[in-house]
Amino acid sequence: MQAKTSNPPDGGYGWVVVASAFTVMGLTVAVLKTFGLLFVEIQQHFDELASTTSWITSVTITIFHLGAPVASSLCARYTHRAVVITGGLLAFSGMALGFLGLNMVWMYATTGFLQGLGISFSWIPAISIVSHYFSKKRALASAIASSGECVFAFMFGPFFQWLISQYGWKGALLIIGGIQLNICVCGVLMQPPASSCLHEARHYETERPPGDGEPRINKEDKSPITHKTFNWMLVRQPEFVLYAIFGILAAMSFFVPPLFLVPLSYSMGIDDSWTASLLSILAVVDFAGRLLCGWYANLHITKTVHLLTVTITLISTSLMLLPLANNYLSLAIFTGFYGFFFGTTVAIHITALADVVGMPDFDSALGLFMLIRSTGGFVGPPLAGLIVDMTGDYRAGFYMAGTTLILSAVVLVTLDQLQQRKEKGTQTNTKQENSALPYSTLRLLKLQTKRSQV
């Protein structure tokens, strides 16, 4: 039985998996993005400080990232389908138990810890299995799947507000948890691709030829896609280390603009209703950027790492220009540029990771990347807040974000140079081996001729 790991389906049932991943993105990350609508309600109910209440979201984000290697390891040990279903049950449990609202510590443990673990166990396998189903169309498929968070976030805003007004924050939590049970349905649809070794590798060891008591082990049957154990040795690969450093620097920046965009508009004297529209602009252009960049990357005109470097450079430029806005129109234009290029980056950064480490180590790499990248998300907002406090100007936070993104682009350039040197070295060795073969053969023929003459 010959493995077909180099030839994923690139379509067919894969689009069902993409649709499932699209929904999972919406029921996880979009819920996390719009959880701020419940923030004030929970704060007022427990009569706590904003900093105390904000730890609910902080715990969720922390567990989401810390659980990534665990989710990847479970995918390698079991199946993506089983992990996604488990994630859906955990997410539901977090919201359903949060409905009880006993105290703030209870909220940390339920809507914080359990919800974060559920998001991690759902998001990681969903985005991973899409890459296993597609090769040539991987960038487009990943972009469509990731855009689910934009579409659902756009819809969840007014929907969550309506739920709170009708059923209160506790009832809203229970209903949202019930909606998240649909993650389990999406997980059931995420069956391993039949034409790849993702499924075959789980069974080749048990195949026995007739009349033989020993398992038939064929090296070609061993799938490079799936590992029985998590590959921690990736941290020794220079390419992965450089990409992880890029992830840290990028994460330091990505969480800053959404945090300071609304305060910046308030400081400019822009009306509340107009300020709210900035968030809608972000969601729409983010969605457009993901689809457009995914479509372009699917054409394979530009190397993925090169394209990612360009989008990161454009994001940093837009962030550097955004503080120059002096009215709503200019602020909306620069916000639109930022949101669009942010969407293009999100659409391909996971695909670029697959290109850097290869599909055999992709599941492990994704978990490690999310874990390492989380440090940037933890450091970035407090650092930007410190700079804002020191300068007394929200614009300083955007300059800080733009600067770190420029540094991340430099890291990507370094990564590309390293890959090019390795490729040239491989080509040189191959040419030397090929050129040495005819010479050795010719020399052998001459020796044989001399011996025959003697």
Side-chain angles (χ1 to χ4, degrees):
M1 171 171 41
Q2 185 174 356
K4 299 179 181 179
T5 54
S6 60
N7 188 26
D10 255 324
Y13 191 81
W15 294 115
V16 176
V17 174
V18 169
S20 299
F22 177 93
T23 306
V24 170
M25 298 300 109
L27 296 178
T28 54
V29 182
V31 171
L32 181 59
K33 280 185 173 181
T34 51
F35 190 79
L37 295 170
L38 297 160
F39 181 89
V40 177
E41 301 291 332
I42 296 175
Q43 179 187 1
Q44 292 177 350
H45 177 82
F46 292 107
D47 192 23
E48 294 284 358
L49 297 174
S51 59
T52 304
T53 309
S54 65
W55 274 104
I56 298 176
T57 303
S58 297
V59 171
T60 306
I61 296 173
T62 301
I63 299 302
F64 169 39
H65 286 89
L66 293 180
V70 180
S72 294
S73 180
L74 290 174
C75 287
R77 182 66 181 85
Y78 301 102
T79 63
H80 294 72
R81 171 190 286 171
V83 180
V84 172
I85 294 174
T86 303
L89 294 175
L90 287 171
F92 163 73
S93 300
M95 290 297 192
L97 293 175
F99 163 78
L100 300 177
L102 301 181
N103 50 52
M104 191 57 71
V105 176
W106 178 262
M107 300 304 295
Y108 295 158
T110 55
T111 54
F113 181 86
L114 286 178
Q115 180 69 196
L117 195 62
I119 291 175
S120 184
F121 279 26
S122 303
W123 191 92
I124 295 294
I127 204 69
S128 171
I129 196 171
V130 169
S131 296
H132 286 306
Y133 261 95
F134 292 86
S135 178
K136 295 179 180 179
K137 300 177 182 178
R138 183 177 296 149
L140 178 62
S142 298
I144 294 174
S146 67
S147 64
E149 68 178 78
C150 304
V151 175
F152 276 78
F154 188 78
M155 297 186 298
F156 278 168
F159 178 60
F160 284 7
Q161 287 179 328
W162 179 80
L163 286 179
I164 294 170
S165 64
Q166 294 294 317
Y167 304 101
W169 69 269
K170 290 186 177 181
L173 280 182
L174 186 61
I175 295 173
I176 294 170
I179 295 174
Q180 285 185 311
L181 278 175
N182 287 285
I183 294 173
C184 300
V185 179
C186 296
V188 171
L189 297 174
M190 292 181 181
Q191 64 183 21
S195 63
S196 77
C197 282
L198 186 64
H199 176 74
E200 292 173 0
R202 305 186 188 281
H203 300 284
Y204 82 93
E205 291 183 346
T206 61
E207 293 181 2
R208 303 173 185 270
D212 194 346
E214 295 296 325
R216 184 184 65 185
I217 299 178
N218 186 347
K219 292 183 179 180
E220 292 183 349
D221 290 344
K222 294 182 180 180
S223 169
I225 291 180
T226 308
H227 295 279
K228 291 297 181 182
T229 58
F230 192 84
N231 185 12
W232 293 98
M233 292 298 101
L234 284 169
V235 295
R236 295 186 177 182
Q237 294 184 10
E239 295 91 341
F240 176 77
V241 171
L242 285 172
Y243 199 79
I245 294 173
F246 151 75
I248 293 173
L249 293 171
M252 287 179 64
S253 306
F254 287 163
F255 291 96
V256 172
L259 186 64
F260 293 126
L261 181 60
V262 172
L264 175 63
S265 64
Y266 286 155
S267 67
M268 295 170 58
I270 298 175
D271 186 72
D272 292 359
S273 58
W274 289 106
T275 298
S277 67
L278 293 174
L279 300 178
S280 299
I281 292 173
L282 269 179
V284 172
V285 296
D286 182 0
F287 175 72
R290 296 185 192 217
L291 293 184
L292 184 61
C293 188
W295 167 79
Y296 178 79
N298 188 59
L299 300 177
H300 301 286
I301 298 175
T302 308
K303 190 177 178 181
T304 308
V305 173
H306 295 170
L307 183 59
L308 183 60
T309 305
V310 172
T311 60
I312 287 291
T313 304
L314 291 173
I315 293 179
S316 62
T317 303
S318 63
L319 286 177
M320 290 294 192
L321 293 175
L322 192 146
L324 301 178
N326 54 11
N327 53 46
Y328 171 79
L329 180 60
S330 57
L331 184 61
I333 292 174
F334 289 132
T335 298
F337 279 122
Y338 162 74
F340 180 82
F341 294 127
F342 174 80
T344 59
T345 300
V346 173
I348 60 174
H349 80 290
I350 298 298
T351 303
L353 175 62
D355 293 342
V356 169
V357 301
M359 286 309 298
D361 290 318
F362 176 68
D363 288 338
S364 298
L366 182 58
L368 276 176
F369 177 73
M370 292 294 294
L371 176 64
I372 298 172
R373 190 185 72 168
S374 66
T375 58
F378 300 149
V379 173
L383 178 60
L386 178 62
I387 295 174
V388 169
D389 290 338
M390 294 173 60
T391 60
D393 191 349
Y394 286 107
R395 292 176 173 83
F398 290 90
Y399 289 131
M400 169 264 175
T403 302
T404 54
L405 279 176
I406 292 175
L407 294 176
S408 70
V410 173
V411 174
L412 285 178
V413 172
T414 305
L415 170 62
D416 180 58
Q417 293 297 318
L418 176 62
Q419 287 181 318
Q420 288 185 12
R421 282 198 296 268
K422 284 195 171 185
E423 290 174 359
K424 289 180 180 178
T426 302
Q427 292 175 358
T428 302
N429 292 335
T430 303
K431 288 181 180 179
Q432 290 177 350
E433 291 176 358
N434 292 337
S435 60
L437 181 60
Y439 175 77
S440 301
T441 305
L442 180 62
R443 187 177 179 182
L444 180 62
L445 289 174
K446 287 182 177 180
L447 290 173
Q448 291 176 348
T449 303
K450 290 180 179 180
R451 288 176 181 176
S452 62
Q453 290 176 353
V454 173

